[in-house]
């Protein structure tokens, strides 16, 4: 996450320190900025520096003077004053200074800070505890006579220091204490003229940093509330424009983090922020570059890729100019965004070039976060996959996993995207065992890091189930779907569309295992759930499930029930889509097959003729579905006894199969066999033998024995010899 912090004193009023944590780039990238921990107090003259009878007054006075020196840029003097303040606080020997505390507690000396130190005394990691000690020491002396603004400021500074140590819950409590005191001050001064001093600690600053803490804790609703409060309290001066720009950007980035980027508020807030930054700090500036980058992110998530590309390129241009070239992480982030956008625009070579350029820059910087490297490698691998270079994609995914394992020590939630994408590639390459292994590693990491009921964990479990199903391990697939169903019932309830989908998948597995009674029960349950969840009973999902119920009923030879189901499907889809839609043709085809099973060939012929007409008009006369319809229509004509129409349909279907180079030789053999049988019934021996010999050669290629193939192909000979005595010599 890219921070937009206030680092230019000349562009801000002294003492206004607000973190903008949500200046958003791709979620894998981050940069760390120093946050100046400022304490804001009432104006105190240097001439008043003297010890008084009260230790409290001396401690607070020295602390105030140190803060003012810090604001003026005199950090050496500030450090001396802070140390003198601590010395006064420790005169009675009841408080240890930071050095003594560290000596007595060696653990403090070995604690590692997670980022750049940024409290008032310097940037060394070892000074975090010392800085915290200096801010909290005056708080130990506070009593009812303390100046409330001073105490509020000290709490505020403690909060800022805790932010740098990543203790966001502790920082939140400190800011809440500061806010409570500021509200008390405001209440006591209701009848007084408010101070116009820009050096006073403001509620806007507290609200802003409170919002940041809530965001990092994960309470997005509270974060949004406090960011909005900060926006409403911004002043109308030059500094106020800067503050408003920061607050608007943070609110917009919260929208973006929630993927609510289709909201008009998100882009509007970003444009407002960009305008105020241009006024307050000018352009080109790093703040303006960051806003262009964030605008690019918003357009990217809204799938407005041309606009995203323009914004990313503008951010890249400004940062490159200000930073003097391409060799910085901030510039590399823009390069990565441009690469992602090129990928979405289908410009794969350009995208590849920018991703490799990003990696080249990134490898020259030693930073602790390698997620950006892993994500870049993932993107390159996906590019190779999209270009059909599967072996290259496989190699790059392996490299990404190698980096990930080196960083995280094994499967980790941060590697989930890599494991899933790699697993999908292996599935595409028919490396099913490798794919399954990758998904299982991902599942283990997600269960440990996200929990067993997290949606991403469930999606991975779904991928595992689908692999088992694809390779024919139906029992394992069924167990995986059962586990998914248990989680879904617990998390979203038993009556929901995802539950219906899982139940349908389990029913399909029963069909594969030829357990049609069990499959029918589950499909009926899925149908019930969908009818409960979907108001429109003619919805395509309901019709699709109803159609599947009809197909299972056919497997169970419940043809009358299946006919009723298919009739309802035809009625529903015709009402919604019209009589000439391809979905309607498919359902009429199924209904016709049931009519044939019930010996209702006239109804079947009527439906198949309508189906043939629709498919020829919509798909053309050489489509495979047209050939299939001719095949079944010919069978219906044959059952009715109109052999001329039957053989015409069979021959037309055969011609389509041959013209399209059909790889399904079984269909061609069946059509030849049907044509041969009709010639047999008519005692047309040469034509019959021509069809049977070609069909038997296809069968021979499957089984390897021409004589067996001929018997299989001519299996109707003996039945026909009994029905038609004139065929007996041939049989």
């Amino acid at each position: 996450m890219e921070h937009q912090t206030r680092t230019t004193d000349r562009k801000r009023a002294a003492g206004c320190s607000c973190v903008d944590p949500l200046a958003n780039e791709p979620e894998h990238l981050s940069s760390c900025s120093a946050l100046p921990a400022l304490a804001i107090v009432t104006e105190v003259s240097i001439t008043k520096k003297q010890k008084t009878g009260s230790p409290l007054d001396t401690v607070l006075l020295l602390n105030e003077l140190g803060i003012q020196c810090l604001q003026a840029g005199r950090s050496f003097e500030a450090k001396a004053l802070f140390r003198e303040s601590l010395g006064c606080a420790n005169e009675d020997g009841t408080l240890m200074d930071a050095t003594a505390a560290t000596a007595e507690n060696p653990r403090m000396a070995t604690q590692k800070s997670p980022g750049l130190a940024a409290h008032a005394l310097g940037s060394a990691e070892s000074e975090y505890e010392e800085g915290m000690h200096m801010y909290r020491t005056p708080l130990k002396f506070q009593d009812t006579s303390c100046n409330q603004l001073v105490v509020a400021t000290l709490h505020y500074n403690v909060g800022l220091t805790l932010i740098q140590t990543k203790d966001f819950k502790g920082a939140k409590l400190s800011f809440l204490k500061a806010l409570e005191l500021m509200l008390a001050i405001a209440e006591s001064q209701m009848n007084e003229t408010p101070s116009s001093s820009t050096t006073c600690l403001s509620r806007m600053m507290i609200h802003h940093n409170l919002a940041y803490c809530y965001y990092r804790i994960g309470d997005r609703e509270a974060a949004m509330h406090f960011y909005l409060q900060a926006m409403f309290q911004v002043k109308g001066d030059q500094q106020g424009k800067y503050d408003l720009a920061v607050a608007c950007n943070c609110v917009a980035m919260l929208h973006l983090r929630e993927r609510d980027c289709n909201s008009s508020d998100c882009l509007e807030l970003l444009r407002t922020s960009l305008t105020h930054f241009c006024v307050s700090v000018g352009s080109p500036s790093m703040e303006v570059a960051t806003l262009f980058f964030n605008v690019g992110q918003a357009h990217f998530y809204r799938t407005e890729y041309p606009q995203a590309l323009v914004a990313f390129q503008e951010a890249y241009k400004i940062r490159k100019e200000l930073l003097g070239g391409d060799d910085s992480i901030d510039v590399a982030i823009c390069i990565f965004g441009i690469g992602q956008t090129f990928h979405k625009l289908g410009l794969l070579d350009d995208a590849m070039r920018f991703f490799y350029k990003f990696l080249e820059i990134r490898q020259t910087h030693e930073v602790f976060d390698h997620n950006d490297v892993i994500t870049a490698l993932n993107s390159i691998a996906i590019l190779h996959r999209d270009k059909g270079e599967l072996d290259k994609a496989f190699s790059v995914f392996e490299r990404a996993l190698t980096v990930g394992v080196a960083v995280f020590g094994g499967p980790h939630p941060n590697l989930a995207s890599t494991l899933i994408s790699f697993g999908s590639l292996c599935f595409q390459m028919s490396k099913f065992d490798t794919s399954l292994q990758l998904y299982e590693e991902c599942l283990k990491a997600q269960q440990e890091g996200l929990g067993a009921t997290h949606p991403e964990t469930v999606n991975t479990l779904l991928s595992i189930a689908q692999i088992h199903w694809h390779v024919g391990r139906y029992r394992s697939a069924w167990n995986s779907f059962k586990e998914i169903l248990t989680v879904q019932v617990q998390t979203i309830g038993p009556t929901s569309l995802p539950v219906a989908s899982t139940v349908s998948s389990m029913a399909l597995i029963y069909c594969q295992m030829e357990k049609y009674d069990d499959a029918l029960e589950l499909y009926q349950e899925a149908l019930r759930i969908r009818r409960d969840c979907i108001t429109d009973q003619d919805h395509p999902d309901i019709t699709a499930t109803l159609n599947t119920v009809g197909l299972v009923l056919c497997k169970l030879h419940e043809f009358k029930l299946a006919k009723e189901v298919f009739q309802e499907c035809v009625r529903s889809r015709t009402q919604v889509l019209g009589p000439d839609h391809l979905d309607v043709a498919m359902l009429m085809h199924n209904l016709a097959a049931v009519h044939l099973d019930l010996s209702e060939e006239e109804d079947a012929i009527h439906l198949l003729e309508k189906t043939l007409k629709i498919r020829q008009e919509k798909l053309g006369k050489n489509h495979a579905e047209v050939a299939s319809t001719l095949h079944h229509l010919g069978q219906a004509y044959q059952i009715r006894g109109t052999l001329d129409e039957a053989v015409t349909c069979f021959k037309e279907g055969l011609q389509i199969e041959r013209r399209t180079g059909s790889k399904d030789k079984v269909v061609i053999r069946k059509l030849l066999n049907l044509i041969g049988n009709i010639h047999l019934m008519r005692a047309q021996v040469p034509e019959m033998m021509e069809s049977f010999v070609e069909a038997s050669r296809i069968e021979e290629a499957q089984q390897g024995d021409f004589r067996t193939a001929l018997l299989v192909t001519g299996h109707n000979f003996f039945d026909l010899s009994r029905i038609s005595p004139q065929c007996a010599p041939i049989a």
Side-chain angles (χ1 to χ4, degrees), residues 18 23-24 46 78 98 123 125 137 155-156 196 207 255 296 334 361 372 410 421 440 462 543 572 647 698:
C18 300
N24 204 10
I46 294 291
S123 60
E125 292 181 4
T137 295
H155 280 299
Y156 178 79
S196 61
H207 280 140
H255 281 301
C334 298
I361 298 170
D372 51 358
S421 298
E440 287 176 341
L462 177 61
T543 307
S572 175
V647 77
I698 295 173

Side-chain angles (χ1 to χ4, degrees), residues 285-303:
S285 65
M286 290 300 291
E287 289 92 341
V288 170
T290 296
L291 259 295
F292 272 118
F293 188 91
N294 292 344
V295 169
Q297 286 287 298
H299 283 303
F300 186 90
Y301 287 127
R302 289 162 62 96
T303 68

Side-chain angles (χ1 to χ4, degrees), residues 186 189-197 200 203 235:
Q189 296 178 346
M190 285 183 62
N191 298 323
E192 301 179 12
T193 303
S195 172
S196 61
S197 172
C200 288
R203 277 182 287 168
K235 298 178 181 179

Side-chain angles (χ1 to χ4, degrees), residues 561-581:
L561 291 175
K563 183 173 80 170
E564 294 177 5
V565 169
F566 288 135
Q567 285 173 335
E568 173 61 21
C569 291
V570 172
R571 182 208 62 77
S572 175
R573 289 287 83 193
T574 301
Q575 180 173 327
V576 174
L577 302 174
D580 298 327
H581 197 276

Side-chain angles (χ1 to χ4, degrees), residues 456-467:
E456 292 182 15
T457 306
V458 175
N459 285 338
T460 304
L461 191 59
L462 177 61
S463 297
I464 290 172
Q466 290 171 338
I467 291 176

